[in-house]
Amino acid sequence: MVYTKESKLRHVLRNPIGADLFHTLLSEMGLVHLKEIIFNPITHHLRLKHLPILLKGMIDMDAVDVICHKMNHYSDEILSPDHDEIEETWWKEGVCYQIYPRSFKDSNGDGIGDLGGIIEKLDYLYDLGIDILWLSPIYDSPNDDNGYDIRDYHAIMKEFGTMDDFDRLLKELHQRDMRLIMDLVINHTSDEHQWFLESKKSKDSKYRNYYFWKDGIEHQPPNNWKSIFEGDAWEYDDLTKQYYLHLFSKKQVDLNWGNEEVRKDIYHMVNWWLEKGIDGFRLDVINFISKEPNLPDGNALLAEMTGVSGIEHYVYGPKVHDYLKELYQNTFMNYDVMTVGECQGIGLEMSKYFIHEDRKELNMIFNFEHMDAPGKSKWDDYHYDLNYLKDTMIRLQSTLGNSNWNSIFFENHDAPRMINKITHDMTYRDALAKLIGVINLTLRGTPFIYQGQEIGMINPNFHELHEFRDVETLNLYHSLRANGLSEHEIMRKLSHGSRDNSRAPLSWCSDDNAGFTSGTPWMKICDDYKSYNVDAQVESNHSILNFYRSLIRLRKDRKIFVYGSFEILKKKTRDVFAYYRHYKDEQVLIVMNLSDKEKIIKINTLDYHLLLSNYENDSRVFKPYEARIYD
Ligand code: TEU
Ligand code: CA
């Protein structure tokens, strides 16, 4: 089928890109709850050319052309049917824990977390029940983006330690029957990487075509693409009088995956790490690696909607699946490893084309649809509604089959703490932290816990600009200043949305610097470390930490929590999130009150036994954020 502006909506909605795109468009317009009404049997006959009117000018005909082009490119990607059985494996059963090494534990007193500190805390992680560690990048880096700007893929960042320290960490993990996945940043390298240093020397360099170098147009950048970290996505190089592409910071230079030499060098490096015995990778912004040939200008309306001009030309580029298939065939296929792709902007239908096991690309991805309310960003000070999380988790669970597996996460190093997104009122902080854990660990999919989530850590409360460290945050400050926002307005945005919110050092105990370091910490410690820290929770039966420990143990004792099918209850009942998991002849029931008020929830639990709850209560009246697991 060829899509044009004459194509009917009902055909477009059958295409995964079309389906996801319209879900996103409605979300951005805050209309996603009216989806069934808007896309009804009558509007199904409307043609794409009517969209600008239907969506009140949210998009124009140029954007319709871009949408058709993308759908046409992928229209022949047919998913094979779902397998009859699910293949049981360690990376579906394992519980993952993300470590941001810089902020986890400092072992040598320089104020920066390191591999020695991680080794010190392996027994803490083992006792928590963690199976798989994901380390944010630990490779040699100038740290413009704290390691997501790699200078040498084959060396360990000196602040974190040595390759011997790495080998020791891997050995200690394997001795505990735990596994390690590394953060693979291959969309871009640091501008201090040898490849780029060679590439920028001359237009004739062997490495020139490892990156995107383009002539400017009348002393302007080659196109209107903007960096996700503010400003143009192009930096001018005086020596060779050309611009180079950087979708992130100026020191993170995009690799040209269209160049086979680049791909070969990447595969060689990936195999070098696999040969060291690691157990897989988290692949950074992996859906960005294929750019639209000729790098066309971004559509103005799509730029307004996404906030990033040009993103439609690389968020799901024309060769992304070709590259992922080739990567798999040249590396992962030969090892018993796990891969999870970070895929900002990839919808739930499109995600199947990355994770379907017959496609041999990735084992799972990180979708981000649930991370912010429709039309909102992390910088907006709004109350994240857990009913939105319920709705997106129901959608996510419905896309999983025997052949499609996925991840379940709510926190990471790029987002503020979940508790702060939901409420400013800390009255029920512990109950809420535990409820988040119940959702994280009782849904279908590999659970990822981010460091500090297990003790209910919250944002560290930033008051001054000098307290921030994150390049995205600091770039945004200057951009907002240039746009005339007041210092107060800017500080409000940054203190709410900065990635530094989740990068405050882990609070280990009530000693100085929360026991993170004996030196001066590289960034501020959480204000509440004296009350919320690991030591304060290890011995307490009702602590968040011990609740997570019980949840993880429950998940690992009962395969139903891993492989069980998902059946929603009371789908339309606001503030109630209840579902069954079914597996062979077993059934478990999870019932949650998503509000901070007491609530009567009428669900028959007479035939059930309460396995775990975040309150000592089994009445019909659910307490604020009460979560119960029955079998
Ligand atoms: O993040 C990808 C990404 O889209 C980022 O823009 C991030 O989601 C952003 O902060 C949202 O506001 C990955 C890494 O997780 C991030 O830490 C890196 O900075 C980025 O790629 C570049 O490597
Ligand atoms: Ca250190």
Side-chain angles (χ1 to χ4, degrees):
M1 150 153 245
V2 177
Y3 295 94
T4 70
K5 56 188 70 147
E6 296 304 324
S7 301
K8 290 194 174 178
L9 219 42
R10 63 194 169 95
H11 295 134
V12 171
L13 292 174
R14 280 197 214 120
N15 174 291
I17 295 175
D20 282 343
L21 217 75
F22 286 106
H23 184 86
T24 304
L25 279 172
L26 290 182
S27 282
E28 290 305 319
M29 294 170 74
L31 297 174
V32 73
H33 59 293
L34 300 175
K35 193 168 161 181
E36 279 75 27
I37 297 168
I38 293 171
F39 294 137
N40 60 50
I42 298 165
T43 55
H44 270 194
H45 290 286
L46 283 176
R47 296 180 187 283
L48 275 182
K49 65 185 178 188
H50 299 128
L51 264 189
I53 301 158
L54 180 70
L55 296 181
K56 303 188 187 109
M58 272 283 278
I59 62 170
D60 56 16
M61 290 317 282
D62 173 53
V64 168
D65 287 341
V66 170
I67 294 167
C68 291
H69 170 72
K70 208 162 274 295
M71 288 193 294
N72 287 329
H73 187 89
Y74 283 108
S75 58
D76 58 357
E77 295 269 358
I78 308 300
L79 276 182
S80 45
D82 201 22
H83 297 168
D84 297 335
E85 295 289 318
I86 192 164
E87 186 188 341
E88 301 193 351
T89 181
W90 60 270
W91 46 263
K92 294 177 184 171
E93 294 168 16
V95 175
C96 297
Y97 186 95
Q98 181 194 356
I99 286 182
Y100 195 71
R102 201 172 191 81
S103 303
F104 186 71
K105 180 68 175 65
D106 171 24
S107 67
N108 65 349
D110 66 355
I112 298 172
D114 47 47
L115 300 187
I118 298 173
I119 292 170
E120 271 177 33
K121 296 298 181 182
L122 286 185
D123 287 334
Y124 163 73
L125 295 167
Y126 180 81
D127 293 344
L128 179 55
I130 300 304
D131 302 290
I132 302 159
L133 286 196
W134 154 29
L135 302 189
S136 276
I138 58 172
Y139 318 93
D140 172 47
S141 164
N143 285 308
D144 189 59
D145 185 15
N146 288 348
Y148 283 93
D149 48 322
I150 296 171
R151 178 168 50 200
D152 182 349
Y153 288 99
H154 296 88
I156 299 298
M157 188 190 304
K158 65 180 183 319
E159 295 94 322
F160 288 167
T162 65
M163 191 57 82
D164 286 347
D165 294 327
F166 172 80
D167 293 337
R168 190 158 57 93
L169 169 62
L170 187 60
K171 183 165 166 275
E172 292 283 345
L173 276 168
H174 286 168
Q175 279 174 349
R176 292 170 175 78
D177 197 21
M178 295 168 80
R179 288 179 161 96
L180 175 69
I181 66 171
M182 299 274 275
D183 208 319
L184 189 60
V185 185
I186 48 179
N187 172 69
H188 48 269
T189 70
S190 164
D191 66 348
E192 297 179 28
H193 190 287
Q194 198 54 36
W195 295 342
F196 188 71
L197 296 178
E198 289 302 319
S199 176
K200 68 186 284 192
K201 275 179 184 167
S202 135
K203 287 184 182 177
D204 306 323
S205 160
K206 164 182 183 276
Y207 290 94
R208 190 69 175 181
N209 200 24
Y210 269 51
Y211 300 91
F212 293 93
W213 287 96
K214 295 276 177 206
D215 292 328
I217 301 166
E218 291 165 13
H219 305 294
Q220 290 301 309
N223 66 22
N224 67 357
W225 293 11
K226 294 298 178 197
S227 161
I228 287 169
F229 289 168
E230 305 303 314
D232 289 331
W234 296 91
E235 186 67 8
Y236 186 69
D237 169 59
D238 251 332
L239 181 66
T240 59
K241 305 274 182 274
Q242 282 194 314
Y243 289 81
Y244 66 81
L245 177 68
H246 63 88
L247 297 179
F248 293 95
S249 87
K250 291 176 183 163
K251 287 181 68 63
Q252 294 170 289
V253 195
D254 279 67
L255 282 164
N256 173 13
W257 272 73
N259 179 347
E260 190 182 12
E261 294 310 308
V262 169
R263 303 201 303 272
K264 281 181 184 166
D265 279 350
I266 293 281
Y267 305 156
H268 180 265
M269 176 271 291
V270 168
N271 285 320
W272 187 84
W273 279 104
L274 292 172
E275 279 302 302
K276 284 185 75 73
I278 66 170
D279 303 287
F281 291 99
R282 174 264 190 186
L283 290 89
D284 188 63
V285 284
I286 198 62
N287 59 303
F288 285 9
I289 59 176
S290 166
K291 276 69 170 176
E292 194 67 40
N294 310 319
L295 311 179
D297 266 352
N299 172 275
L301 286 174
L302 291 177
E304 212 173 297
M305 195 185 306
T306 61
V308 186
S309 174
I311 195 166
E312 69 271 24
H313 297 307
Y314 55 83
V315 70
Y316 192 49
K319 288 194 169 295
V320 66
H321 293 302
D322 301 294
Y323 297 153
L324 284 175
K325 284 179 172 56
E326 190 182 84
L327 171 63
Y328 176 86
Q329 286 151 13
N330 285 277
T331 60
F332 309 139
M333 179 172 80
N334 306 311
Y335 300 86
D336 176 19
V337 292
M338 154 187 173
T339 55
V340 50
E342 185 206 25
C343 291
Q344 289 275 2
I346 295 298
L348 295 181
E349 288 310 312
M350 289 152 80
S351 60
K352 293 175 186 172
Y353 292 83
F354 289 86
I355 59 178
H356 193 294
E357 288 173 0
D358 292 355
R359 291 177 61 87
K360 309 248 181 271
E361 294 186 25
L362 299 169
N363 297 135
M364 61 193 100
I365 67 171
F366 291 141
N367 293 99
F368 290 81
E369 184 176 311
H370 62 289
M371 288 299 273
D372 273 300
K376 295 288 187 187
S377 85
K378 63 187 186 184
W379 307 105
D380 298 324
D381 187 357
Y382 73 101
H383 282 290
Y384 179 91
D385 184 349
L386 281 169
N387 290 279
Y388 175 68
L389 182 64
K390 165 185 171 182
D391 294 344
T392 45
M393 287 299 109
I394 293 169
R395 275 169 41 85
L396 174 66
Q397 296 291 295
S398 67
T399 63
L400 304 180
N402 293 328
S403 322
N404 293 318
W405 189 257
N406 220 333
S407 64
I408 306 282
F409 75 98
F410 303 129
E411 294 196 356
N412 63 26
H413 64 294
D414 288 335
R417 292 287 180 179
M418 196 65 181
I419 292 170
N420 295 88
K421 286 163 66 170
I422 295 163
T423 181
H424 292 161
D425 175 359
M426 291 298 142
T427 310
Y428 304 108
R429 171 180 175 176
D430 285 33
L432 177 54
K434 294 172 183 176
L435 176 135
I436 291 165
V438 168
I439 304 174
N440 208 159
L441 287 147
T442 62
L443 284 178
R444 191 176 194 179
T446 298
F448 285 75
I449 297 166
Y450 177 65
Q451 68 179 49
Q453 177 186 335
E454 78 275 14
I455 60 168
M457 276 183 83
I458 58 175
N459 296 344
N461 281 333
F462 293 103
H463 306 289
E464 312 279 339
L465 181 64
H466 70 78
E467 294 174 319
F468 292 110
R469 297 290 176 273
D470 172 27
V471 60
E472 178 188 51
T473 304
L474 297 172
N475 285 4
L476 181 60
Y477 171 81
H478 295 294
S479 170
L480 294 175
R481 283 296 281 162
N483 289 340
L485 264 70
S486 72
E487 195 75 11
H488 173 73
E489 282 171 297
I490 296 174
M491 281 308 293
R492 182 155 175 230
K493 272 185 175 295
L494 301 190
S495 59
H496 198 80
S498 172
R499 303 191 296 183
D500 285 326
N501 278 310
S502 55
R503 300 177 180 185
L506 192 50
S507 299
W508 290 103
C509 65
S510 57
D511 298 347
D512 290 351
N513 300 317
F516 163 71
T517 178
S518 55
T520 306
W522 74 283
M523 75 170 284
K524 78 173 289 179
I525 301 284
C526 264
D527 293 352
D528 68 352
Y529 76 90
K530 286 197 180 296
S531 49
Y532 277 79
N533 63 66
V534 168
D535 268 9
Q537 297 193 25
V538 170
E539 299 310 324
S540 152
N541 288 334
H542 300 293
S543 68
I544 301 163
L545 177 62
N546 281 316
F547 189 78
Y548 263 80
R549 200 176 268 158
S550 306
L551 275 174
I552 293 170
R553 190 176 309 118
L554 189 58
R555 183 183 176 89
K556 290 163 71 170
D557 288 350
R558 309 281 295 271
K559 281 197 172 182
I560 189 168
F561 289 107
V562 180
Y563 298 112
S565 60
F566 171 88
E567 181 192 348
I568 187 71
L569 285 169
K570 295 185 173 297
K571 183 175 178 180
K572 299 286 184 198
T573 308
R574 183 165 173 75
D575 289 337
V576 174
F577 191 11
Y579 47 91
Y580 292 120
R581 298 290 308 275
H582 303 282
Y583 182 70
K584 297 181 176 160
D585 57 355
E586 282 183 77
Q587 178 171 296
V588 291
L589 168 63
I590 292 92
V591 188
M592 291 175 274
N593 171 9
L594 299 181
S595 78
D596 59 357
K597 306 280 183 299
E598 287 199 348
K599 188 176 194 60
I600 292 177
I601 300 181
K602 294 186 186 112
I603 284 186
N604 173 12
T605 58
L606 288 178
D607 309 334
Y608 285 91
H609 160 67
L610 185 61
L611 277 176
L612 189 63
S613 160
N614 57 352
Y615 286 90
E616 302 301 312
N617 169 37
D618 195 7
S619 74
R620 278 177 46 184
V621 180
F622 276 67
K623 302 230 184 261
Y625 301 123
E626 181 165 359
R628 298 181 196 168
I629 304 171
Y630 293 95
D631 78 340

